[in-house]
Amino acid sequence: MVSGVHWLDNGVLRLGVVPALGGRLLSLRYKEIELLWRNPALLDADLRLLDGGVARPNSGRMGDWLNYGGDKTWPAPQGWDHNDQWPGPPDPVLDSGPYTVSSTEGGLSMTSGAEPRTGLRFTRTLTLGTGASYTLRLTAENVSTRPVRWALWNVTQLPGGGTVTAGLARRRAPAVVGLVAGTGTPEYTVDGDRLVVPPQDVVGKLGVPGTAGWVSCDVGAASLTLSFDVDHEAEYPDSDSPLEVWLEHPLPAPLASLGDLDPPARIVELEVLGPLTTLEPGASTALTITGTVCRLT
């Protein structure tokens, strides 16, 4: 079943999910504070498409992408050179296709269609705890008849303007790398065992090979922390980066170097990746992310 908006509420956190829009988590509300960025040009406050719009799969260049916002899952590595790279977003199945939804104990589970280029089918399972935390369990299954090699890649979009802080374990060198410089590489500092990325107007991405398995971002009077396991013996995409931080802001013209990407707002992306895994037909790989919200003092 694919239908409308689904809400999970434990009295502390309220999560809004829209299976028809790529299985997205589009609202993460802590009391009166909304943590996620979503596109006000496409969605209203109730997560409904504006002007009576109907959810449709979206494809094309990055400049054609309908960026609804929120939290979603993609395959990595990204690229446009060969079939072992995912040429999105957009993507008409995993990113913007309808997901079927079913109830689970304490939450819900959403499953994508089969994507022919990657051979993958995704499942996103959200579970609310009793306090200000939730768990997102991701699974990628090879539903093709050939071996494939991919990593899970979860992207959480937050409003720009907050500081990003991430723990460093320093088990890989360098601990931080520049990955994408649309208008430049984001500036950062390393304070002991912490990476600090201040607010700034830049379109670009950092990779964190030395991540300790957690990252936080301030949003107004609250902070969201994502925690995840890291296998320091495994291979990860993008210079061995289990964590990536993307920043963007509006520009006077689309970025031709990034497929005419046209950033709609100041946005911070916290991107958590699983290891690159070779999957035989019928095999799967999984990644679990725990989100915790706290009020800033």
Side-chain angles (χ1 to χ4, degrees):
M1 175 183 66
V2 178
S3 61
V5 182
H6 295 254
W7 296 95
L8 302 174
D9 194 329
N10 66 1
V12 180
L13 290 184
R14 180 172 168 83
L15 279 58
V17 182
V18 184
L21 298 179
R24 276 171 169 74
L25 169 64
L26 281 165
S27 179
L28 171 57
R29 197 165 184 84
Y30 173 70
K31 301 181 180 179
E32 76 283 2
I33 303 168
E34 175 61 61
L35 276 296
L36 298 182
W37 179 84
R38 63 175 175 269
N39 196 332
L42 300 175
L43 299 167
D44 65 19
D46 296 321
L47 313 186
R48 307 285 183 179
L49 290 168
L50 293 177
D51 301 324
V54 177
R56 293 185 178 89
N58 175 222
S59 60
R61 291 164 54 85
M62 288 188 74
D64 302 313
W65 181 39
L66 295 178
N67 182 4
Y68 296 105
D71 179 292
K72 57 280 194 178
T73 305
W74 295 335
Q78 182 185 45
W80 294 263
D81 297 329
H82 50 75
N83 286 336
D84 292 332
Q85 297 174 328
W86 179 66
D91 170 302
V93 179
L94 302 175
D95 172 65
S96 63
Y99 280 47
T100 60
V101 61
S102 59
S103 297
T104 63
E105 184 176 353
L108 55 81
S109 184
M110 297 173 289
T111 301
S112 75
E115 202 289 304
R117 178 184 174 116
T118 61
L120 297 177
R121 179 167 59 209
F122 282 169
T123 298
R124 289 168 47 88
T125 301
L126 276 162
T127 305
L128 264 179
T130 56
S133 67
Y134 66 94
T135 299
L136 175 62
R137 171 77 172 178
L138 310 173
T139 303
E141 179 187 4
N142 180 7
V143 293
S144 74
T145 58
R146 67 188 191 279
V148 299
R149 183 171 172 80
W150 296 102
L152 283 158
W153 175 20
N154 201 71
V155 177
T156 305
Q157 291 188 318
L158 311 174
T163 297
V164 176
T165 305
L168 297 176
R170 298 181 179 273
R171 295 182 183 176
R172 295 189 178 186
V176 185
V177 296
L179 292 178
V180 179
T183 62
T185 301
E187 297 180 359
Y188 68 91
T189 59
V190 174
D191 181 8
D193 60 355
R194 295 194 173 197
L195 164 70
V196 179
V197 185
Q200 56 196 284
D201 279 351
V202 66
V203 179
K205 180 186 285 193
L206 298 173
V208 192
T211 176
W214 67 267
V215 61
S216 296
C217 185
D218 300 341
V219 181
S223 178
L224 173 65
T225 298
L226 302 180
S227 303
F228 49 94
D229 288 334
V230 179
D231 183 351
H232 289 282
E233 303 303 318
E235 178 186 358
Y236 286 81
D238 303 339
S239 301
D240 269 341
S241 300
L243 171 65
E244 300 174 4
V245 178
W246 165 271
L247 304 180
E248 67 178 61
H249 70 104
L251 299 171
L255 275 172
S257 61
L258 293 178
D260 289 332
L261 176 70
D262 192 7
R266 286 178 173 83
I267 299 171
V268 173
E269 290 183 358
L270 306 182
E271 306 181 4
V272 177
L273 292 92
L276 279 163
T277 305
T278 299
L279 301 172
E280 298 295 330
S284 62
T285 184
L287 173 64
T288 299
I289 301 168
T290 301
T292 305
V293 181
C294 68
R295 184 179 291 275
L296 298 175
T297 57

